């Protein structure tokens, strides 16, 4: 299938589903409806087979051995970097540090970029809608330096108040950060505009792209940010994969965060020197098989094409939203225009966790809880929400099953 030739009418979702072995399993004797994609996506056969083939035929450590297997493993791992660099238009492959996910990427920036720059009284600007991975690392380094973390506000619809964010870009801010897409609300933030304003003021901007890369083409250079962090397991790749993209000047100036093998030029007790980026930031044996799977995931996404993915997902989002509005006492949290297919909601008189547990018995996998976004829950004054997050392999029929099950379990709780 090709992005250019795909259209909503020819999007063959059943053919796509056949590529994902897990989607055909049952849960509690019911057909699985997997609506927890913002948590982690399912994996196509090509990804599973790429990982399997790596361990069966090519397994060796990278960058250490001159033997054939070592060369094959290194070529596969570095090939994944090249593919990922093209996928997000990184500019150069050296600007892409392979990590275990977004969390490792934000912590790397916290300790290697932010902490050395922080003075008492300085600040880091975050937002109320961030995942904890884009809050807690900043708090940890801020505490050590006598600095603070400020949070830009949002409105009831779950939209960032951009003017207020910009007004909070004051001289003591040493890093600004924002999520590209909210994992709870689906809101897409105006990253280009924010990046432009940050640049005018000489403040570096980190964008958390975890929930953007599965749904939309990302061009980090066009966005104009300084750092872009994301995770692979939400975009069909294995768990324990992700990356940090950064402007070259930052990577050259930043000291290493993790020390160990692979990241050095020469180790001496009277002074160790370090490898050039990206290897300076990749100490130890990486998740080689995971990145082999990541390369296959990118191939898969590109074979479907973001144009087709976005069209289908938006149709599903609209249909699911309409159907959810039919449920009496249901309130959707997050109603920003142009959002990605993530729907958080609450049902009057029912605890989110009880509903999710009963839905599971019907074969429906949704997430309940705070979604690693406590400040957002505090903003809405709730301890938890239910979240149905969709992917391009989901169907309208699954949305119907979800609604039938939701109406049934809601009756059971009344
Ligand atoms: N940021 C956002 C917006 C997320 O949704 C997640 C995962 O849920 C993360 C960061 C953390 O990703 P990881 O656990 O893969 O590091």
């Amino acid at each position: 299938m090709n992005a250019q030739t795909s259209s909503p009418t020819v999007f063959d979702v059943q053919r796509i589903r056949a590529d994902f072995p897990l989607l055909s399993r049952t849960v509690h004797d019911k057909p699985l409806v997997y609506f927890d994609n913002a948590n982690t996506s399912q994996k196509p056969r090509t990804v599973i087979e790429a990982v399997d083939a790596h361990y069966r035929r090519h397994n060796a450590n990278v960058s250490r051995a001159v033997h054939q297997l070592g060369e094959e493993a290194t070529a596969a791992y570095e090939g994944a970097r090249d593919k990922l660099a093209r996928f997000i238009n990184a500019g150069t492959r050296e600007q892409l540090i392979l990590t275990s996910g977004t969390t490792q990427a934000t912590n790397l920036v916290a300790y290697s970029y932010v902490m050395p720059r922080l003075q008492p009284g300085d600040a880091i600007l975050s937002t109320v809608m961030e995942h904890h991975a884009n809050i807690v690392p900043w708090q940890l380094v801020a505490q050590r330096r006598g600095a603070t973390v400020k949070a830009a506000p949002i409105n009831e619809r779950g939209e960032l108040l951009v003017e207020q964010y910009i007004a909070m870009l004051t001289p003591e801010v040493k890093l600004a950060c924002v999520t590209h897409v909210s994992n709870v609300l689906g809101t897409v933030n105006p990253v280009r505009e924010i990046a432009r304003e940050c640049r005018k003021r000489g403040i570096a901007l980190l964008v958390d792209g975890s929930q953007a890369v599965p749904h939309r083409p990302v061009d980090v250079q066009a966005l104009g940010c300084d750092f872009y962090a994301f995770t692979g397991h939400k975009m069909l790749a294995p768990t324990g994969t992700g990356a940090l993209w950064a402007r070259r000047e930052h990577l050259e100036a930043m000291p290493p965060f993790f020390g160990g093998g692979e990241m050095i030029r020469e180790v001496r007790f009277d002074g160790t020197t370090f490898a050039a980026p990206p290897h300076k930031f990749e100490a130890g044996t990486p998740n080689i098989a995971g990145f082999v799977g990541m390369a296959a995931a990118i191939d898969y996404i590109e074979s479907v094409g973001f144009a087709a993915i976005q069209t289908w997902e938006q149709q599903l989002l609209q249909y699911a939203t309409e159907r959810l509005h039919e449920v009496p006492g249901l309130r959707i949290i997050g109603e920003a225009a142009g959002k990605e297919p993530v729907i958080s909601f609450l049902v009057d008189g029912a605890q989110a966790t009880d509903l999710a547990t009963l839905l599971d018995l019907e074969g429906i996998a949704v997430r309940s809880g705070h979604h690693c976004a406590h400040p957002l829950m505090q903003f809405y004054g709730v301890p938890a929400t239910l979240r149905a997050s969709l992917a391009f392999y989901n169907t309208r029929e699954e949305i119907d099953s979800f609604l039938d099950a939701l109406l049934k379990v809601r009756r059971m709780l009344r």
Side-chain angles (χ1 to χ4, degrees), residues 38-40 100-106 129-134 179-184 208-211 229-234 240-241 367 371-372 387:
N39 211 352
T40 197
S100 64
T102 301
T103 305
Q104 191 190 337
T106 52
M129 72 167 84
E130 300 307 311
H131 186 282
H132 296 162
N134 208 12
T179 194
H180 197 165
V181 174
S182 160
N183 63 316
V184 183
D208 175 353
S210 310
Q211 299 290 346
F230 61 100
T231 242
H233 65 93
K234 299 177 199 291
T241 59
R367 183 162 173 196
H371 316 291
C372 300
R387 181 185 68 186

Side-chain angles (χ1 to χ4, degrees), residues 7 27 39 42 101 106-107 123 130 141 159 162 194 196 208 230 238 241 246 279 296 313 323 335 360 369 400:
S7 73
V27 169
N39 211 352
Q42 296 306 339
T106 52
N107 277 276
E130 300 307 311
V141 294
E159 295 158 332
V162 180
I194 290 172
R196 212 171 32 243
D208 175 353
F230 61 100
T241 59
H279 296 109
E313 288 183 344
R323 296 276 347 250
E335 294 176 299
D360 176 57
D400 290 336

